[in-house]
Every structure is written in structure tokens, then in C-alpha cells.
Amino acid sequence: MSVMSILHFIPNLHFAATGVQQQPRPPPMATVPTYGLRWLNSGRPWMQNFRRSSILSSAIPAIQDSEESQFDSPKPKTQSYFPKRGQTLELVCESLAFKGKGLCKVADTGFVVLCDRALPGERFVGRVTRKKGNYAEVTKVETISPHWDIVDAPCEYASNCGGCKTQNLSYEAQVRAKEQQVQELVIHVGKFSDKDPEFSSIMKPIVPCDVQFHYRNKMEFSFATQKWLPRELLHEKEDGASGYALGLHAPGFFDKVLNVNKCLLQSEPANTVLAAIQECWRDPQFGLSPYNVHSHDGFLKHLVLRTGRDIKTGLPELMVNFVTSSYKPELLKPLVEKISAIPEVVSIVNNINTSVGSTSVGEQEYILHGKSAITEILRGLTFQISANSFFQTNTHQAEVLYKLIEDCAGLRGDGSEIVLDLFCGTGTIGLTLSRRVRHVYGYEVVAQAVSDARRNAKLNGICNATFIEGDLNKIGENFGKDFPKPDVVISDPNRPGMHMKLIKFLLKLKAPRIVYVSCNPATCARDLDYLCHGVVEQNIEGCYKLKSLQPVDMFPHTPHIECVCLLELR
């Protein structure tokens, strides 16, 4: 689906682009769960525009950042309104859009603008910083009146850090917005009619996260030669080692780091480690230098903190991973001695990354203290987590997510069924299902993840799981000959969703049930459309029926949404 065709779903937007002034058609009213109805009937004026504007926020994530130029369109022949760069506008945020940006419309024209850190109901003055064919981006200059559901953000970095953009929006409002965004996508991109009597039973209310802070088991911090400071604090800029930074990238900058002493998303023991390192790493006597992404000089690149649990005591255990540009253990020795005294630290490793890129994955890894991996318990199974392993970032909510997946799979439990686990990662989903099936076949493109999956199967004494390395975006005619026809297919792709080759294979395979797990509702809705309705342009017929779609909030205070979808063969 092209970006322009998606934009035509939005009342006013197409007309604003062509200069034609028309009254917007009323948006279709969807049948929503009771939870959503309470929201829509809240009497808040900005909510009346949410449904017709939220499809833009839903559609944009389906387009990769590299394809952003697709927003460009030929200049209209008729006169129309395009804000100029540098112009200031008074705006009201209507809804949350791509990457948590606020979606607004210019008064009297309907022209769409996006503003970072603007929240629904907020009236503000914004300055245009960038304009494209059908939308513009603005930076907030001044808030005139605050948004609805305002709360005090508990994190001191919330106004500048790019990690938790909605901390000052009540959590109830956050999950309502996510639920509504998924529903709009299913209707407009997935082409499922809200007039269908079964629609309300298919769309499930979002599952909120009980733990809204300290839920991440992995955080990656970056070292930099200069702290990033907001404009009002630029006079406090420091030079030399005192100006070094260890923290999170400032939004939109690969080379600017906001210094962070404590992050409310990671565990308390991880914050203890972070604070201990911040106390001493700048000390000139240690001779430590941060990596400079421009000159490619310097030693310290990243600090990765991972939290697990001891399988015997259930207490937290920490892995500390220093990512450096070269192997110089003598330079890290003072830091290792300091943090190894923290009881929860059971592993300190050093990944060596000599490339100029910003990745934290090393070419070689050395153990500086303790063991090479930590453990975590999920759905009654033990998983070993190494420095570069993939593992669900929110362990608590992963328990909820995996229970939903198991329920959707509808396993008989008699050990007779075959499960095909696509994009299996380290095998967490397939292994949790293995106790109730005959065999699990998992496919994953990352070699290290496949190795971890095999190791985790052995660790838990699971012998009925086979994990195979393979690129599911490049499957050939022989794919499917290595395993018997599955009773259930689990598909958990990354943000771009499934390749058309894989969708064609699944439509030909005709497994009785597919459980689609998605971290990107936009591409999820697109793939559900293909699997259920087919692709007319390619003469492909769909053969599945969507039985349920369950949004899950895995990452509070962020725009990310997870979905678990059940499809059954018609």
C-alpha cells in the first residue's frame, strides 16, 4: 500500500494537499470494547477528531524510515496552504502519532503537522522545522494550556530523554490511545469492517502492564566526549573530562548523549551499577576516554546492563558489558574492581567492537569477572542470557504475552501436534509450548540466536525442539520440506512484518491455525489483510479468518504496542 493511498483515508488531509476546500465526511464509527467507549464518551473535544486523524499515526510506522521520501508528492497546481520553515503556529494536539509524536492540524486548512512531545489536548505554539508534501514537523516553543490527563513525570530526564516520551500522560490515557490506534489500523489498513457483527468480539481490550517502571531487563548506555544539554542549560557546558557523558542519545542525534545517572526503566541494582561507574570513570588517573563518533578515537563505546534472576534464590543477578574499541583490560580494571563488589553483579564482560558503527555487538568477547551468562525464568523454564542474546526485554509482561500466545494456539495437550515457530529468536515461545506438543520446528536468521535456542532446549531437557538457521525473507521452493505440516504456526516477525514470499508459503501451507505476534501494528494489519483477504493485484486469495486480536502494552511510557492475533483456516 502506497503512502499516498494511506493518506487518502484521512479526512481533510487530501483536500489540504490539493487546495480543495471541502467539508470532511464523518468518520465511520467502530464498535469498540467498553473500555474504549468510556474514553470516547469522555466529553473531551479533542477526542472527536482522534479517529479521523489517528490513521496517519497508524499508517506511518508501516513505512520504513528509509522510505520517508515517499511522503513527497508533486506540487499541486492549485493554491494550497503549506507552512513555511521557521513560521510559528498555534496548534492543538489531537492524538499520538508515529514514535509518540503529537498529531495536529492547522486551523481552517486541515494541514497535518507532527510535533515531538505534544500530547492530546495540549494547546501550544510550534515552530515549523521541516515540511514535506503532505505534512510538516514543528518544534514546541511554548505551551499555552496543558494536555488532558496530565501527571508529573517522576523521571528528571523525561522532558529531554527520547526513551519515555509519555511519562507525563496518565498511564490510563496511554493505553487507551494505544488500543484505539490498533483498532484504526485494523479497520483502515487491515480492511476489516467495524460493521461486521463479530468485530467487537474479535477486537480485545488492551492488556495493560502492571509494572510501569523498572520493567526493562536490558538497558544500553553510550559514552560520548560531550554532554548534550538543553538550550536553557548551554551556559553550563563543561570542557575536558568533566564534560564527558554516559547516558542515552538525545532524540534525533546519533552523536549527542544526555548524561544519565539513574533510569527508572531498569532495575534498582542496575541503577546502583550505573551510579558507581558514573562516580569514577571520568577520573583522569584511570586514563579512560569516551569514543568519538566523528574522529573515531577513544576507548569506551557502550555500557550494557542486563538483569536476570538466580534460579535457586530468585534474587536479581546482573551482567555488566563494557563495549570498547580495543582490548585493554588494564584500563577497565579499576571499574571492574569497583562494581564487582556489588552483590548482584555476577558477570562482567568486555565486547570488542572495532567498527565505526554504533552497534554494541562485539567481534570478540572476554570475561572480566564471574560467569559468561546470567539466567532468567520464564513460564517455568530457565534461560541463559549471554551479552548479545535476544530476550524479551520486559520479563514480567512476557509471562502475560506468552500465556496469551499459548491460549491462542489452542493446543490439545496430548503431545500430538506440530508447531512451526517462525522468527523464533532464542526459542522462548517454542520452548514454552514444547511440553504440550509432539515437536517444535523453529527458524531464525541470527546464528547466535539459534545457538542460544539449542542451548536453552538442552538446559531444560527439551528434546522435541529443532532450531534451524534460515532467512525467512529469502525462502525458496524447497522451504517446508524439512518439517511435517504443522498444526499451529507461530509467527513473530520484526517491525517490517512478513515478506510476501512467506505469506504466499503460509497461504499454500494452509495450517489450521496461525498465531501472529507483532511489535508493529501497522505491518501486522497489512499482513492480516493479505492472509485473510488476499492480494487482488497478484491474484492471491486469502484463506484465513481473523478470530481475535489482542493488544498488549509491553513498554509503558513509550509508543510501542504488541499484538497477539489468532487466525483460523476457513
Side-chain angles (χ1 to χ4, degrees):
M1 179 180 294
S2 69
V3 174
M4 285 304 298
S5 65
I6 291 174
L7 295 181
H8 283 201
F9 285 127
I10 312 167
N12 276 345
L13 181 58
H14 176 58
F15 301 131
T18 58
V20 180
Q21 298 298 318
Q22 297 189 24
Q23 293 297 317
R25 290 174 293 179
M29 292 302 294
T31 305
V32 297
T34 305
Y35 188 59
L37 284 173
R38 290 200 302 271
W39 179 36
L40 291 173
N41 294 330
S42 62
R44 293 168 184 168
W46 62 271
M47 278 308 305
Q48 297 173 6
N49 294 320
F50 179 87
R51 293 183 55 76
R52 68 170 179 261
S53 63
S54 63
I55 183 58
L56 175 63
S57 67
S58 302
I60 292 177
I63 311 303
Q64 296 182 10
D65 291 344
S66 61
E67 298 175 319
E68 195 172 42
S69 61
Q70 294 183 31
F71 278 96
D72 293 322
S73 60
K75 293 182 179 180
K77 296 179 181 180
T78 56
Q79 183 66 30
S80 60
Y81 179 78
F82 288 86
K84 295 181 180 180
R85 186 173 181 178
Q87 181 179 353
T88 57
L89 304 168
E90 184 174 317
L91 301 162
V92 176
C93 178
E94 296 187 5
S95 63
L96 294 181
F98 182 38
K99 294 185 178 179
K101 292 184 178 182
L103 187 147
C104 318
K105 289 183 181 178
V106 178
D108 301 323
T109 69
F111 189 86
V112 171
V113 295
L114 301 177
C115 180
D116 198 26
R117 300 188 181 280
L119 295 172
E122 180 177 5
R123 181 178 294 275
F124 66 98
V125 175
R127 179 177 290 109
V128 179
T129 56
R130 184 185 185 201
K131 65 175 185 175
K132 303 292 286 186
N134 288 317
Y135 77 103
E137 293 183 2
V138 302
T139 297
K140 190 193 304 182
V141 176
E142 178 186 5
T143 295
I144 300 173
S145 59
H147 57 83
W148 301 105
D149 298 305
I150 188 170
V151 296
D152 291 330
C155 178
E156 61 180 296
Y157 309 107
S159 59
N160 296 308
C161 173
C164 307
K165 293 188 176 182
T166 55
Q167 266 196 39
N168 59 343
L169 182 65
S170 74
Y171 184 63
E172 183 184 21
Q174 291 179 39
V175 294
R176 288 196 304 253
K178 291 182 179 185
E179 179 182 292
Q180 193 69 19
Q181 189 180 76
V182 171
Q183 186 163 297
E184 289 288 350
L185 278 164
V186 172
I187 294 171
H188 295 287
V189 178
K191 301 175 186 175
F192 293 89
S193 174
D194 56 330
K195 308 300 183 185
D196 187 333
E198 297 181 356
F199 187 82
S200 60
S201 62
I202 291 172
M203 295 298 303
K204 308 297 183 184
I206 190 169
V207 177
C209 185
D210 294 336
V211 180
Q212 293 153 27
F213 289 99
H214 304 296
Y215 61 78
R216 287 190 64 97
N217 56 38
K218 177 185 177 183
M219 284 293 296
E220 179 180 316
F221 302 97
S222 298
F223 291 90
T225 55
Q226 185 63 60
K227 297 176 184 176
W228 178 86
L229 296 171
R231 186 182 301 274
E232 62 271 17
L233 297 179
L234 284 177
H235 64 280
E236 297 181 4
K237 184 176 180 180
E238 299 174 286
D239 296 322
S242 59
Y244 290 166
L246 168 58
L248 300 168
H249 285 275
F253 295 98
F254 77 97
D255 58 346
K256 299 182 186 297
V257 171
L258 171 70
N259 194 68
V260 172
N261 295 312
K262 181 178 183 179
C263 177
L264 296 186
L265 293 191
Q266 68 177 356
S267 68
E268 290 292 4
N271 276 323
T272 300
V273 171
L274 176 61
I277 294 173
Q278 288 281 35
E279 283 180 3
C280 64
W281 77 274
R282 297 176 184 82
D283 192 327
Q285 67 173 323
F286 295 152
L288 294 168
S289 60
Y291 186 75
N292 188 313
V293 295
H294 296 289
S295 66
H296 307 302
D297 296 324
F299 178 62
L300 296 169
K301 285 190 168 186
H302 304 285
L303 171 69
V304 185
L305 303 178
R306 304 194 73 150
T307 306
R309 279 184 291 176
D310 185 285
I311 58 175
K312 294 181 180 179
T313 66
L315 296 174
E317 58 178 21
L318 242 69
M319 168 182 282
V320 181
N321 177 17
F322 292 102
V323 182
T324 60
S325 60
S326 59
Y327 182 54
K328 297 177 181 178
E330 67 280 2
L331 290 180
L332 293 175
K333 187 176 179 180
L335 297 182
V336 172
E337 290 177 349
K338 184 177 183 67
I339 61 177
S340 61
I342 298 172
E344 291 88 354
V345 175
V346 299
S347 172
I348 304 176
V349 300
N350 180 200
N351 268 250
I352 314 303
N353 182 354
T354 61
S355 69
V356 297
S358 61
T359 178
S360 61
V361 178
E363 298 137 15
Q364 294 93 33
E365 181 175 306
Y366 299 91
I367 302 172
L368 305 180
H369 168 78
K371 51 188 182 179
S372 61
I374 56 177
T375 55
E376 183 55 278
I377 303 167
L378 184 59
R379 300 285 292 162
L381 298 179
T382 300
F383 293 90
Q384 284 195 343
I385 306 170
S386 58
N388 298 313
S389 293
F390 170 80
F391 193 78
Q392 282 287 348
T393 313
N394 185 342
T395 309
H396 173 84
Q397 196 71 338
E399 291 273 357
V400 176
L401 181 72
Y402 285 14
K403 178 61 168 59
L404 290 169
I405 294 170
E406 185 172 336
D407 291 344
C408 282
L411 300 173
R412 292 190 293 269
D414 59 2
S416 64
E417 294 164 294
I418 300 294
V419 173
L420 177 61
D421 187 7
L422 303 175
F423 309 96
C424 67
T426 56
T428 49
I429 295 176
L431 291 175
T432 58
L433 299 178
S434 64
R435 294 165 291 189
R436 304 184 62 197
V437 303
R438 178 154 61 98
H439 206 92
V440 173
Y441 293 88
Y443 279 81
E444 170 60 46
V445 68
V446 180
Q448 182 61 50
V450 174
S451 176
D452 287 344
R454 292 168 180 167
R455 182 181 61 180
N456 287 326
K458 185 177 181 180
L459 179 66
N460 289 279
I462 296 173
C463 302
N464 62 334
T466 302
F467 296 101
I468 303 164
E469 182 182 347
D471 190 344
L472 292 168
N473 292 326
K474 299 178 181 179
I475 59 175
E477 293 295 326
N478 293 327
F479 184 72
K481 295 183 178 180
D482 294 333
F483 51 85
K485 182 176 178 178
D487 300 280
V488 181
V489 173
I490 310 290
S491 183
D492 187 7
N494 53 14
R495 290 191 63 79
M498 295 193 295
H499 194 279
M500 184 56 72
K501 288 182 179 180
L502 182 58
I503 289 173
K504 289 180 179 178
F505 168 79
L506 292 175
L507 291 172
K508 182 179 179 181
L509 180 67
K510 290 184 168 59
R513 294 183 301 283
I514 296 177
V515 181
Y516 191 124
V517 186
S518 170
C519 61
N520 183 350
T523 52
C524 174
R526 178 203 66 197
D527 291 349
L528 293 178
D529 176 35
Y530 294 160
L531 291 167
C532 295
H533 307 138
V535 186
V536 176
E537 297 84 354
Q538 299 188 34
N539 199 28
I540 297 173
E541 293 186 6
C543 61
Y544 283 92
K545 181 176 179 62
L546 179 62
K547 301 296 290 185
S548 69
L549 191 154
Q550 176 72 74
V552 182
D553 186 23
M554 295 290 292
F555 305 106
H557 315 299
T558 78
H560 302 298
I561 315 170
E562 201 92 4
C563 293
V564 180
C565 314
L566 171 62
L567 300 100
E568 291 185 353
L569 192 65
R570 289 202 298 262

